[in-house]
Amino acid sequence: MPELTIDRVTKQFKNKIAVDTVSLDLHNGVYGFLGANGAGKTTLLRMLCGVLKPTSGEIRCNGTEIRMLDGEYRCLLGYLPQDFGYYPDFTAKRYLEYLAACKAVPKYLAKEKVQEMLRLVGLEGEQKQKIKTFSGGMIRRLGIAQALLNDPEILILDEPTSGLDPKERIRFRNIISALSKGKIVILSTHIVSDVEFIADQILLMKQGCIVEQGNSREVTGSVRGKVWEYLAEPDEADRMNETFAVSNLKNEGDKVYIRIVSDTCPCEGAAPAEPGLEDVYLYYFGN
């Protein structure tokens, strides 16, 4: 079972620091990296895959720097980039067979593995269609299938549910939960529900740094006492919506239920509320 160590890793592009001195130890389990666009998630994942080289610091797998492991490390790895390449005139079946060969999946296993992955992502009935005829969600499912072809011990998924409808997103979460045993699964997203239900550890990333880390209860606990509920008059609710970070606003009769994320009580009569992960997201990334 692999272990990944991220040791004071920094990535700088000219004058911009995309990842800033990040240190983590990753073992068996699902790690959900949550953050706004531009937080540095994709850059960190690309370094974990060996696509980018850190400006400073080291990434080690089982104690050895990944660039020294080279092909041995790639055999452990399954990767779905945010924008993955494909051949539009290939059928889904041919595309996966081609990638199985690229990933050195033995020929005697490749055919069976391709069919298994097509069934897993619900594309078995479309395997002879050309990829250029696929919807965005179907293409994303095909990307998930290719990431799993070599039965990787380290699975890295960058915005994997982009383009998926709610039903497909739930299906994806169930697939990851079922496959995560004995693997390191790293999931990067800005969609709270993608990590809320399946991540063993949630890591909030902002401006290249990990600003909070823990299981769902620990992370939501970090904003306890900073979430408030209030029934407001409509005009008052409009003013509060402009002034505060509002995570929920709903009409209730002639008044408006408003849920506010704030370090201090926003107004007289507001009551503390139990925080959820959406409140955490708004607290760290709302500005």
Side-chain angles (χ1 to χ4, degrees), residues 52-73:
L52 287 177
K53 183 179 178 182
T55 304
S56 62
E58 287 186 350
I59 299 171
R60 298 187 293 271
C61 179
N62 296 333
T64 303
E65 197 171 358
I66 59 172
R67 64 183 179 86
M68 303 297 294
L69 292 170
D70 196 23
E72 184 182 346
Y73 180 67

Side-chain angles (χ1 to χ4, degrees), residues 227-262:
V227 183
W228 311 85
E229 293 177 325
Y230 183 62
L231 271 178
E233 298 294 336
D235 290 347
E236 185 183 14
D238 289 341
R239 291 194 300 272
M240 295 179 81
N241 195 26
E242 292 176 358
T243 305
F244 297 101
V246 174
S247 62
N248 192 13
L249 190 149
K250 182 174 66 173
N251 291 317
E252 291 193 358
D254 60 350
K255 292 198 173 183
V256 179
Y257 167 82
I258 189 165
R259 186 178 177 94
I260 297 164
V261 181
S262 171

Side-chain angles (χ1 to χ4, degrees), residues 171-243:
R171 179 177 187 152
F172 161 78
R173 292 202 303 257
N174 292 340
I175 288 170
I176 295 305
S177 291
L179 293 174
S180 62
K181 188 175 181 180
K183 300 181 188 294
I184 295 174
V185 180
I186 300 168
L187 165 66
S188 166
T189 185
H190 64 279
I191 301 171
V192 169
S193 60
D194 281 355
V195 300
E196 187 169 16
F197 299 110
I198 63 170
D200 300 301
Q201 287 281 304
I202 297 170
L203 302 99
L204 304 181
M205 195 165 185
K206 184 176 184 179
Q207 296 177 350
C209 299
I210 306 298
V211 294
E212 192 65 56
Q213 177 183 356
N215 60 35
S216 182
R217 180 179 297 179
E218 290 167 340
V219 169
T220 53
S222 71
V223 298
R224 186 166 282 110
K226 299 173 183 177
V227 183
W228 311 85
E229 293 177 325
Y230 183 62
L231 271 178
E233 298 294 336
D235 290 347
E236 185 183 14
D238 289 341
R239 291 194 300 272
M240 295 179 81
N241 195 26
E242 292 176 358
T243 305

Side-chain angles (χ1 to χ4, degrees), residues 83-129:
D83 298 303
F84 77 97
Y86 59 89
Y87 299 100
D89 286 318
F90 275 28
T91 64
K93 179 174 178 286
R94 185 185 175 198
Y95 173 72
L96 291 181
E97 287 174 342
Y98 168 71
L99 285 182
C102 292
K103 292 171 182 272
V105 178
K107 284 186 178 181
Y108 71 92
L109 281 178
K111 185 175 180 180
E112 179 183 340
K113 200 69 181 175
V114 165
Q115 290 302 314
E116 180 188 343
M117 291 301 103
L118 287 167
R119 285 193 299 272
L120 185 67
V121 299
L123 291 175
E124 189 177 21
E126 290 80 24
Q127 62 179 291
K128 294 183 179 179
Q129 290 187 29

